[in-house]
Amino acid sequence: LDFGEDSMMMPSCTRRGGKCGWKLALYAALLLAAMHSAAGFYEKGSNVQDLKSKKEFRERVLESDHLWAVEFYREGCGYCQLLTPEWEKVAENLKHLVRLGGVNTETARELSSDHADPSNPINGVPTLKLYIPTAVKGKPKVIIYQGERKAKAIITFLTAHMPNFVVQLKHADGSHDRFLADKSKAKVVLVTEKPETTSMFKALASEYRGRVLIGEVRKSERNVFAQYGP
């Protein structure tokens, strides 16, 4: 949503019928946005990385093996200001698992208009987009987050969309034998009783993608599981 300068004026309202509350709440959000604008969003030391150019965006986001979540915002936007502490909480909670970024649509106009998602231009702020690595380097899948703008909901959504480059090692399909026969790289195997790959192990596989072969043996795969211990 975009608010003009007139939106910063104190809203007129009346106590009659309790109609004053939402106007004052909106005014308070806009006032906070104006105060925060002077300091700037996502300053040095923040876990949210400020992205300013197409070159930086390509190198850090598009070519990454990690999931990136990027907020497109405008400093004068009240709703962007309300989202900021939630986005910071997400970045803190998912540190080392998911990369979070921010793009100021006013100061990074070229990037805002060309960010590897031409079918979904930025028509309003804040807009949250996920860049999910694929088998093709530099060509992530892009999806828009349209859920609740609270840290808990965003964290749940992001962890559910983390890429998984961990090889599931099985006997029936020969994947375990092929994994062991591959001498091109060092190997790491996780033997686990958990039914799903953890977020931490997914992040580890992303970090070492192309350098280390990372496999996982689940207890349900009994023939292979037994080879790694009791």
Side-chain angles (χ1 to χ4, degrees), residues 36 39-50 52 73 88:
H36 188 84
F41 281 24
Y42 312 126
E43 296 294 316
K44 184 177 180 180
S46 170
N47 290 309
V48 179
Q49 301 180 45
D50 192 25
K52 299 178 180 179
Y73 68 91
E88 292 277 17

Side-chain angles (χ1 to χ4, degrees), residues 1-9 26-42 71-84 103-107 109 124-126:
L1 295 176
D2 193 6
F3 300 97
E5 293 181 0
D6 291 342
S7 300
M8 294 304 298
M9 297 174 61
L26 180 58
Y27 174 76
L30 292 171
L31 183 59
L32 284 172
M35 294 170 62
H36 188 84
S37 178
F41 281 24
Y42 312 126
E71 175 198 4
F72 293 84
Y73 68 91
R74 184 174 67 80
E75 289 188 350
C77 163
Y79 292 106
C80 299
Q81 165 62 20
L82 292 175
L83 177 62
T84 299
V103 176
N104 186 331
T105 58
E106 291 185 317
T107 59
R109 294 180 182 273
V125 291

Side-chain angles (χ1 to χ4, degrees), residues 10-215:
M10 172 65 82
S12 60
C13 56
T14 174
R15 293 180 179 272
R16 187 181 304 167
K19 296 180 180 180
C20 198
W22 72 269
K23 292 184 179 181
L24 290 175
L26 180 58
Y27 174 76
L30 292 171
L31 183 59
L32 284 172
M35 294 170 62
H36 188 84
S37 178
F41 281 24
Y42 312 126
E43 296 294 316
K44 184 177 180 180
S46 170
N47 290 309
V48 179
Q49 301 180 45
D50 192 25
L51 303 166
K52 299 178 180 179
S53 70
K54 290 175 62 176
K55 180 177 183 294
E56 181 184 30
F57 192 82
R58 181 181 68 254
E59 293 175 349
R60 301 181 73 175
V61 179
L62 302 184
E63 296 180 2
S64 176
D65 290 319
H66 290 274
L67 169 65
W68 271 82
V70 180
E71 175 198 4
F72 293 84
Y73 68 91
R74 184 174 67 80
E75 289 188 350
C77 163
Y79 292 106
C80 299
Q81 165 62 20
L82 292 175
L83 177 62
T84 299
E86 301 297 322
W87 202 236
E88 292 277 17
K89 288 178 186 176
V90 175
E92 176 64 27
N93 276 273
L94 296 183
K95 188 189 299 185
H96 308 308
L97 300 179
V98 176
R99 308 291 194 259
L100 265 72
V103 176
N104 186 331
T105 58
E106 291 185 317
T107 59
R109 294 180 182 273
E110 184 180 17
L111 176 55
S112 299
S113 63
D114 184 8
H115 51 273
D117 191 21
S119 60
N120 294 295
I122 303 300
N123 293 319
V125 291
T127 293
L128 308 179
K129 293 192 176 188
L130 276 64
Y131 291 81
I132 307 170
T134 65
V136 181
K137 188 81 168 179
K139 299 288 185 181
K141 177 182 178 182
V142 186
I143 63 175
I144 299 175
Y145 175 75
Q146 296 179 320
E148 185 182 8
R149 304 289 177 87
K150 294 294 183 181
K152 183 177 180 180
I154 297 172
I155 289 170
T156 299
F157 190 84
L158 295 187
T159 53
H161 286 81
M162 289 178 66
N164 189 357
F165 299 117
V166 178
V167 180
Q168 295 304 315
L169 304 179
K170 301 179 180 181
H171 174 73
D173 63 4
S175 57
H176 181 242
D177 291 338
R178 289 193 300 273
F179 184 86
L180 294 181
D182 190 338
K183 306 299 183 183
S184 64
K185 303 177 182 69
K187 300 181 182 71
V188 172
V189 176
L190 173 67
V191 182
T192 178
E193 296 185 356
K194 294 183 178 180
E196 302 290 338
T197 305
T198 65
S199 297
M200 181 62 73
F201 206 53
K202 288 179 181 179
L204 182 70
S206 289
E207 183 67 26
Y208 289 96
R209 185 186 183 191
R211 294 180 288 160
V212 177
L213 297 175
I214 297 183

